[in-house]
Amino acid sequence: MLVLERGLSVIECFDGHDALSVSEVAQLTGMSRPAARRCLLTLVTLHYATSDGRLFRLAPRVLRLGFSYLSKADLPQILQPALERLSSILNESCSAAVIDGTDVLYIARVATERIISVDLRVGSRLPAYCNAMGRVMLAALPSEQALDILKRTDRIQRTKATLTKLPDLMAELDRVRKQDYSIVRAELELGLLTIAVPIRNSRQEVVAAVNVGGHVERSSSKRLIDETLPKLRKLQAELAPLLRT
């Protein structure tokens, strides 16, 4: 099991990196250099990675690990067409995500434009603490569990507006829990304004979140509440009967 854990850690450390050396992988994973090298060479042997002798890159075969989940999961298949309809109505980028550790993991997305420096797509990850979808999903958890996740999070001050202190974040989660939506303005990245709502199944369990994002120059929190939130509420109601587990 330790070998499997190390191999998955090596794969995950490539997130955001096109190519890495053995030393860089060792640093990112906390492994020794020889252990990192053994893992990388094993991945090359299994065709999950390639190497030019110095740098290592993930190979397309790695996609099987994600698509094996996505191809069998009902959630992305149900959410994707719903996002496409919502995006066509609002003419804005829309995304759906689940919480995974301290991050949100994107499972469906429709992009009308690139509104963030990171090229978001299915499989992308962003920190939950400063993300509207992350906050609605954290707010759905018991307070002790949400606090534990925040404590384990590297709460970077990404902009001047980013909430990083635990009391501030817990107070915000309490507000999100009461209003059942989250608006995040320029905390993840300057110029980005997003609103998100939790998505519940037929048993009223939060299974995902959906957001609508755009630039602060062409929208406002009031406009999101007045115009976008009612459409997100309608989406919540339409999806619940379809999500039975």
Side-chain angles (χ1 to χ4, degrees), residues 23-45:
S23 297
E24 289 170 331
V25 169
Q27 182 178 12
L28 289 169
T29 60
M31 296 182 192
S32 66
R33 196 175 182 280
R37 180 174 178 79
R38 286 195 298 271
C39 284
L40 286 166
L41 291 177
T42 299
L43 290 174
V44 171
T45 300

Side-chain angles (χ1 to χ4, degrees), residues 179-181 197 228-238:
Q179 64 192 20
D180 202 40
Y181 70 85
V197 297
T228 305
L229 184 58
K231 295 178 176 61
L232 286 170
R233 294 288 191 224
K234 183 179 179 182
L235 185 70
Q236 281 179 307
E238 291 174 349

Side-chain angles (χ1 to χ4, degrees), residues 56-128:
F56 291 81
R57 292 175 171 82
L58 293 183
R61 187 183 179 92
V62 168
L63 293 174
R64 295 187 184 183
L65 300 177
F67 285 130
S68 61
Y69 162 74
L70 293 174
S71 64
K72 295 182 180 297
D74 291 335
L75 194 54
Q77 295 173 0
I78 292 172
L79 290 176
Q80 185 63 40
L83 291 186
E84 290 171 359
R85 291 193 300 271
L86 182 63
S87 179
S88 67
I89 294 170
L90 298 172
N91 195 31
E92 295 282 8
S93 297
C94 302
S95 304
V98 295
I99 196 160
D100 183 27
T102 61
D103 297 333
V104 294
L105 174 66
Y106 282 68
I107 60 172
R109 178 161 168 79
V110 179
T112 58
E113 62 177 319
R114 187 163 174 172
I115 59 174
I116 187 172
S117 60
V118 177
D119 186 13
L120 293 177
R121 61 190 70 185
V122 172
S124 294
R125 306 170 73 94
L126 287 175

Side-chain angles (χ1 to χ4, degrees), residues 82-203:
L83 291 186
E84 290 171 359
R85 291 193 300 271
L86 182 63
S87 179
S88 67
I89 294 170
L90 298 172
N91 195 31
E92 295 282 8
S93 297
C94 302
S95 304
V98 295
I99 196 160
D100 183 27
T102 61
D103 297 333
V104 294
L105 174 66
Y106 282 68
I107 60 172
R109 178 161 168 79
V110 179
T112 58
E113 62 177 319
R114 187 163 174 172
I115 59 174
I116 187 172
S117 60
V118 177
D119 186 13
L120 293 177
R121 61 190 70 185
V122 172
S124 294
R125 306 170 73 94
L126 287 175
Y129 76 102
C130 58
N131 179 288
M133 289 190 291
R135 286 184 181 171
V136 295
M137 287 186 284
L138 287 173
L141 298 173
S143 296
E144 297 80 5
Q145 188 176 348
L147 179 59
D148 177 66
I149 291 173
L150 291 174
K151 285 180 176 178
R152 292 188 283 109
T153 299
D154 186 10
R155 301 184 303 277
I156 300 170
Q157 188 79 46
R158 301 175 72 100
T159 74
K160 290 182 179 180
T162 310
L163 297 182
T164 60
K165 295 180 179 179
L166 290 175
D168 294 337
L169 285 165
M170 292 302 291
E172 179 63 20
L173 292 186
D174 187 52
R175 181 163 39 251
V176 169
R177 189 177 299 111
K178 292 174 181 176
Q179 64 192 20
D180 202 40
Y181 70 85
S182 174
I183 292 179
V184 174
R185 181 185 179 93
E187 290 191 51
L188 179 67
E189 188 167 299
L190 289 174
L192 181 63
L193 178 65
T194 59
I195 183 171
V197 297
I199 298 301
R200 297 179 174 86
N201 61 19
S202 57
R203 293 182 294 190

